[in-house]
Amino acid sequence: MASLTVREQALRLMRLVGAASCRCPAHSQTFSPAPRLSSAAKDHVEPECAFEVGINQVANSSIRYGEGVTREVGMDFMNRGLNKVCVVTDQKLVTLPPVKQAIESLESNNVNYELFDKVRIEPTDTSFKEAIEFAKQGQFDSFLAVGGGSVIDTAKAANLYLCHPENEFLDFVNAPIGKGLPVDRALKPLIAIPTTSGTGSETTGVAVFDYEPMKAKTGIANRAIRPMLGIVDPLHTLHMSERLTANSAIAIESYTAIPYQKRGPRPPNPNMRPAYQGSNQSIKDPSDLEARSSMHLASVYAGVGFGNAGVHLCHGMSYPISGLVKSYRAKDYEVDYPLVPHGLSVVMTSPAVFRFTSPACPERHLEAAQILGADTTNVKLQDAGLLLSDTLRDFMYSTGVDNGLTALGYQPEDIPALVKGTLPQHRVTKLAPAGAPGEEELARLFEDSMTLY
């Protein structure tokens, strides 16, 4: 049988998951008691449009996927007896259908809510604190995040500190920047409706932000902050611009991360086990719903992957790339401040990184290249990193990714600061299959990423 294209593989996976959804009375929505309907409603039988995936509840959120499922979110809060919802979004999205549909669903189900729409794209500790203060003032019983990773991560932080009002902000931030304290109490229910296809934040217990005193990204990583439910509605991807679609990151890091057995010593308590444990063409045509739907579902799968396996050097190096930005402003992002989007900062170093990490697990790097469309016939294992690097560069060039760090405003004299911002990110860099690189190796990786084409 001829090999499947990447698109065909994605669609096949969607069909397999849908076909495998449980139909038994104990698990299937099919057997849930139906609400009472008016006589007019009884005459209209609407076909099923979604499936649900109950991913390992301890590590990841449950996922509901399907066109139009946003209209169900009000019932989710109503069914749980929740009636003071903090709706979190940004000032662009608040004017678009995803937020409007979610609010209409809350209102039609008589669920009370208040709106926080001041999320900063690529959030900072300052913007997190603004959302946290709003949550504390409102004393909400639940949260609804409608947006991309910035929105969902902001809602996670607001939920965490609402439920820990006595803690300082750095108490839960990853060490060594913060104290990395464990979360020892249950948080409020959080439902996330992603509107982009890059972060998979609706599935993970990680919230990333720019820590302004260091001018580098860090985050909060704890399974307790993950959303209770991710409602993944592919119709929302139709509102993504070309560059926003292209800036979705590539999740090869999770596949090449070290095996979980090699991460480190077993924690004394399961609650201390980290969120990142080790491995276990929709851009050009905004009306191509099939392609964008596949991308949206792929983002969920990627989120499950890096929410468990973790990520490594591309992410660790991306944090200072975002935090030290000088004047670059990404196209299609309506912001009045310098901004390197997360996905763009991650992918920028990927050709250099995967050349560096390939010798540690060449088979996986070769398979990743094949998945991305490379011809691996007669390719030697020692050439896997070079092939994957070239494949990534071809993909990035074809999708209009900026030509390296120089296009983002960086020069060789900025490399020491970029290295300095990467070194504290050992939560992710230690998962690299080649081991966490030292200063000289990081400097070389940044140097190799200055220009790409």
Side-chain angles (χ1 to χ4, degrees), residues 208 217 249-250 253 276 306 311-320 342 345-346 349 425 428-429:
V208 176
K217 282 186 182 289
I250 298 172
E253 289 171 279
Y276 288 178
F306 54 64
V311 289
H312 52 80
L313 294 185
C314 293
H315 269 75
M317 296 171 69
S318 79
Y319 296 155
H342 176 63
S345 67
V346 170
T349 61
Q425 312 296 340
V428 291
T429 59

Side-chain angles (χ1 to χ4, degrees), residues 74-130:
M75 288 182 279
D76 288 307
F77 287 101
M78 179 186 68
N79 291 342
R80 291 168 173 81
L82 302 168
N83 200 42
K84 195 172 184 183
V85 183
C86 180
V87 179
V88 180
T89 190
D90 64 45
Q91 293 188 322
K92 174 66 174 178
L93 276 164
V94 76
T95 66
L96 296 177
V99 173
K100 292 181 178 180
Q101 291 168 12
I103 288 177
E104 288 173 1
S105 182
L106 294 175
E107 292 176 344
S108 65
N109 287 280
N110 299 313
V111 177
N112 296 316
Y113 67 91
E114 291 183 34
L115 181 66
F116 179 82
D117 63 357
K118 295 181 172 59
V119 169
R120 188 184 193 274
I121 306 305
E122 302 300 327
T124 65
D125 52 313
T126 300
S127 71
F128 265 15
K129 289 172 184 175
E130 185 177 5

Side-chain angles (χ1 to χ4, degrees), residues 348 393 397 400-408 449-453:
M348 195 58 63
R393 270 201 302 270
Y397 181 80
V401 174
D402 297 86
N403 188 14
L405 295 177
T406 55
L408 306 186
S449 303
M450 282 291 165
T451 56
L452 299 174
Y453 318 122

Side-chain angles (χ1 to χ4, degrees), residues 236-282:
H236 297 334
T237 63
L238 298 177
H239 305 287
M240 292 170 60
S241 67
E242 178 179 327
R243 295 321 311 157
L244 181 58
T245 306
N247 286 337
S248 298
I250 298 172
I252 297 173
E253 289 171 279
S254 301
Y255 188 57
T256 58
I258 61 170
Y260 67 91
Q261 303 98 322
K262 295 184 180 180
R263 184 192 71 251
R266 179 180 177 181
N269 188 298
N271 289 336
M272 299 297 293
R273 184 164 285 121
Y276 288 178
Q277 305 167 68
S279 60
N280 49 45
Q281 292 292 334
S282 60

Side-chain angles (χ1 to χ4, degrees), residues 26-27 59 61 68 111 140 175 186 199-200 229 233 238 264 279 297 324 329 362 366 373 376 398 410 423:
H27 301 97
S61 314
V111 177
F140 300 99
T199 68
L229 172 66
D233 189 337
L238 298 177
S279 60
L297 186 58
L324 293 170
R329 294 188 185 183
L366 192 62
T376 59
S398 69
Y410 289 104
L423 289 173

Side-chain angles (χ1 to χ4, degrees), residues 108-444:
S108 65
N109 287 280
N110 299 313
V111 177
N112 296 316
Y113 67 91
E114 291 183 34
L115 181 66
F116 179 82
D117 63 357
K118 295 181 172 59
V119 169
R120 188 184 193 274
I121 306 305
E122 302 300 327
T124 65
D125 52 313
T126 300
S127 71
F128 265 15
K129 289 172 184 175
E130 185 177 5
I132 291 165
E133 183 58 30
F134 182 88
K136 288 180 176 178
Q137 292 294 325
Q139 287 298 309
F140 300 99
D141 65 8
S142 52
F143 290 80
L144 171 61
V146 187
S150 297
V151 169
I152 299 172
D153 286 3
T154 298
K156 292 173 184 177
N159 191 7
L160 173 63
Y161 290 95
L162 168 64
C163 298
H164 293 81
E166 72 282 4
N167 285 92
E168 299 293 331
F169 181 73
L170 288 177
D171 283 352
F172 298 110
V173 173
N174 300 325
I177 295 171
K179 296 180 181 178
L181 296 181
V183 178
D184 56 7
R185 66 186 69 157
L187 305 190
K188 307 296 184 183
L190 163 61
I191 296 177
I193 303 179
T195 59
T196 63
S197 302
T199 68
S201 185
E202 68 276 5
T203 73
T204 71
V206 177
V208 176
F209 64 95
D210 278 315
Y211 186 50
E212 293 171 297
M214 288 186 58
K215 294 187 177 180
K217 282 186 182 289
T218 182
I220 302 164
N222 194 293
R223 293 175 182 177
I225 70 173
R226 73 194 185 284
M228 170 187 71
L229 172 66
I231 295 181
V232 183
D233 189 337
L235 293 177
H236 297 334
T237 63
L238 298 177
H239 305 287
M240 292 170 60
S241 67
E242 178 179 327
R243 295 321 311 157
L244 181 58
T245 306
N247 286 337
S248 298
I250 298 172
I252 297 173
E253 289 171 279
S254 301
Y255 188 57
T256 58
I258 61 170
Y260 67 91
Q261 303 98 322
K262 295 184 180 180
R263 184 192 71 251
R266 179 180 177 181
N269 188 298
N271 289 336
M272 299 297 293
R273 184 164 285 121
Y276 288 178
Q277 305 167 68
S279 60
N280 49 45
Q281 292 292 334
S282 60
I283 296 171
K284 294 294 183 182
D285 184 1
S287 65
D288 189 340
L289 181 58
E290 182 182 13
R292 292 201 170 204
S293 297
S294 298
M295 185 74 173
H296 215 33
L297 186 58
S299 177
V300 175
Y301 295 147
V304 174
F306 54 64
N308 287 276
V311 289
H312 52 80
L313 294 185
C314 293
H315 269 75
M317 296 171 69
S318 79
Y319 296 155
I321 292 173
S322 294
L324 293 170
V325 60
K326 301 171 185 177
S327 59
Y328 177 86
R329 294 188 185 183
K331 183 182 177 183
D332 291 349
Y333 289 75
E334 297 179 9
V335 295
D336 58 0
Y337 48 85
L339 172 69
V340 178
H342 176 63
L344 179 60
S345 67
V346 170
V347 78
M348 195 58 63
T349 61
S350 62
V353 163
F354 292 118
R355 279 200 312 272
F356 172 73
T357 59
S358 179
C361 52
E363 297 87 354
R364 291 204 165 200
H365 287 69
L366 192 62
E367 186 173 358
Q370 184 179 37
I371 290 171
L372 289 175
D375 182 2
T376 59
T377 306
N378 298 324
V379 175
K380 297 178 181 179
L381 283 180
Q382 58 262 39
D383 296 327
L386 181 62
L387 177 62
L388 178 54
S389 177
D390 289 344
T391 303
L392 282 166
R393 270 201 302 270
D394 289 344
F395 179 81
M396 294 163 69
Y397 181 80
S398 69
T399 55
V401 174
D402 297 86
N403 188 14
L405 295 177
T406 55
L408 306 186
Y410 289 104
Q411 299 298 327
E413 55 265 30
D414 297 313
I415 289 177
L418 292 167
V419 170
K420 183 179 178 181
T422 304
L423 289 173
Q425 312 296 340
H426 55 70
R427 177 182 65 92
V428 291
T429 59
K430 67 182 181 182
L431 292 178
E439 292 185 30
E440 291 185 5
E441 291 169 315
L442 284 172
R444 187 165 60 252

